[in-house]
Every structure is written in structure tokens, then in C-alpha cells.
Amino acid sequence: MAMRETGVGTKASGEVCRVCAGRTYVVERQGDQALARVCGCSENCPVCGGRGHVLVEREATFSQKVGPRRYEVMEPCGCTLRRRRVALYNEVRLPGVVAHASFDNYRAFNEAQDRGRGVAMHFGHQFVKGATSKGFILSGPVGTGKTHLLAATLGHLVIEMGVRARYVEISLLYATIRRGFQEGKSGGEIIGPLSEVEVLAIDELGKGRGSPFEMETLDELIARRYNAGRTTLFATNYSLEPERKARPGGPTGYRTTEDAKAVVKDAELLRERVGERIYSRLCEMCTFVELPKDTPDRRRTRQEMDSLHPPPTGMRSMGR
């Protein structure tokens, strides 16, 4: 990890800490949120002795006659940076279910998922603070790891790079604004902070009733970020296809009412859910990654495997 100090994250014996695996911090599920804390192995910093800053020697040339000169400056210690980044992570408000999400433990079932992981990793590792960066949007069925990749990306940006970021599930944002109205708050007061963070992840894009209130809220949020050149990441269950594809019917062309409803739902496009104005901006703001409709639901696959291979009697099931 880039911000580790010498000797931190290890025991006196030289062994790597089993709690944090040498990362010096721990991310845990606490209620419905993923929260970070400094690991106990790193609370007492051996570098600064708890002062939070260190003297660092620098060399610079202030005059051609004098030549290069050495001098000392006071800089924040790595432990101070770690505490700041842990605090930043806790402002992201990631769901507790993805507390342990990382690029390494993302399981890809097909080439499209592998590409999605690659796009997210490339974005995270190539991101430059302060620069305008193109985000990405992940589309696919439920349970295919879209939120996992959003969480892994934000975790990397915040903990490793100190980027200010936020996560929001769109229907919960609508509910938060409605509650705010009852407390005398305007929608702008809630949207404002989301408009200003360097990277924002919007999950479940397209979800909702499509009411004027929801469309106006989404349009304002994306417009603010688009106009400011800020990076936004998205995940959606709706197709990114630009047009509806023809869906062949049965031999006689007849469909039951339920079949017709299923076909319509399957064919829904993000473009139709968010409108032409927002969709056009998404095309400019993001790299599109679409997962096939037959991509396995990881939650169902895990449950089905567990039911086929239950743990031996007397053994407790480990959390995953």
C-alpha cells in the first residue's frame, strides 16, 4: 500500500498483521454501511511517535551562484494521511454488503464481466486527481457484480489516493430528498454536496417511477456534474443499446399477457428510462460496458451451490 510506513502493519516478530494483512487499515460492515478504521497494529506510529508529522530533508536550487542547498520541511506523517483517508472512506457511504469488495475478489463468469473488471481497474489505477476523467457505466442483470466493481473502484480511489468520493443508490436519494422536503430542506441542499465531490458513483440508474420529480432531480444532478467536468460512475439493470431490437414471437406471433409484459421489461432501454438529454450526456461522460442477459446471478449461484453442498453437521458457515 502506498501510504504504509516502515514497520507498520507488521508485528514485532516481523510477521504481517493477520487482521489487516499489512494494509494498516480495516474495512468492516457496520449495520448497513461499510466503514473503515485504523488497524490496531498501526495505532502507535513508530515513525513519528504519535506526533503526526515528520521532518523531511529536501534539496533545491534557489540561486545559480549558491547552487543546490539542502533544507528541512515539516510534512504530515504517513499515519496522518492514513487517518485522513479512513475518514474520507467513511464519508463515501458504501453499502455494508460490499465492505470487502475489491478488484482481486471479483469473480468473472464471462468475457464481458472480465472486461468490466478491466475497465474499472484501469480507471482506478490511471485516475489523476484534479484532472477531467471519463467515467464508466456498467449495465447488466441483477447479481452480476456491478455494485461490487463500483465499491472496489471507490475504495481504491479513496484509500490509496485520497480522492473525495460518494456513492448513492438513486431510489434512496429520491427518498432522502422527499424526507428533506418535510424538514424544510430544498432538493438543492442535498444534491449540492453530491455535485461537488471529485468522483460520484450512482447505482441503480433508471430505477424508480419516472415521475417528473425523479427526472428533474436526476437531470439536475447529472447536469451539474457534466457542466463542472466532474467524473461520474454508474450501474444500471437497463440495457445500454441505442435502439430496441426486434424480439421474435412464437410460431403464430401470439403471446399471452404475461409473456408480453416479460418481453417489454426485458427490452427496456436505459435511454427510455432516463430520456434523450441524460442519455446523450452519458455517452460523452462514460465508457459503456454491458453484461449479457444470461450472465449468472452470483447471489443465486452461491445459494444454489450452498444448498447442493451444505457444510458438515456441527460446522458453522463462514460469512462471505
Side-chain angles (χ1 to χ4, degrees), residues 10 33 43 65 67 175 217 286 292 304 317:
T10 60
Q33 284 195 31
E43 290 179 348
K65 291 182 179 180
T217 298
C286 298
E304 290 164 356
S317 178

Side-chain angles (χ1 to χ4, degrees), residues 24-73:
T24 73
Y25 66 92
V26 179
V27 179
E28 300 170 316
R29 179 175 184 171
Q30 296 186 27
D32 62 351
Q33 284 195 31
L35 296 175
R37 63 177 173 81
V38 176
C39 184
C41 70
S42 305
E43 290 179 348
N44 299 316
C45 180
V47 177
C48 69
R51 292 184 296 273
H53 55 267
V54 290
L55 278 173
V56 179
E57 190 176 78
R58 293 279 186 260
E59 182 179 292
T61 301
F62 301 100
S63 167
Q64 292 298 327
K65 291 182 179 180
V66 177
R69 297 188 62 181
R70 292 181 178 276
Y71 62 98
E72 289 185 332
V73 294

Side-chain angles (χ1 to χ4, degrees), residues 111-131:
E111 186 176 342
Q113 280 184 301
D114 195 50
R115 176 174 178 259
R117 176 177 176 269
V119 167
M121 282 185 65
H122 183 268
F123 171 86
H125 290 295
Q126 299 299 319
F127 186 82
V128 178
K129 291 182 67 175

Side-chain angles (χ1 to χ4, degrees), residues 43 62 66 74 81 94-95 102 112 120 138 160 172 175 183-184 195 197-198 209 218 224 259 265 283 286 289:
E43 290 179 348
F62 301 100
V66 177
M74 195 78 73
L81 295 177
L94 282 167
S102 70
L138 302 170
E160 301 295 336
L172 296 182
E183 299 169 0
S195 305
V197 293
E198 194 163 0
R209 293 172 294 180
L218 181 62
R224 285 195 186 192
D259 287 341
K265 184 176 181 180
C283 291
C286 298
V289 180

Side-chain angles (χ1 to χ4, degrees), residues 244-267:
R244 284 178 181 266
K245 292 183 177 179
R247 312 281 175 170
T252 62
Y254 171 78
R255 290 194 184 100
T256 65
T257 302
E258 291 304 314
D259 287 341
K261 287 181 179 179
V263 169
V264 170
K265 184 176 181 180
D266 183 54

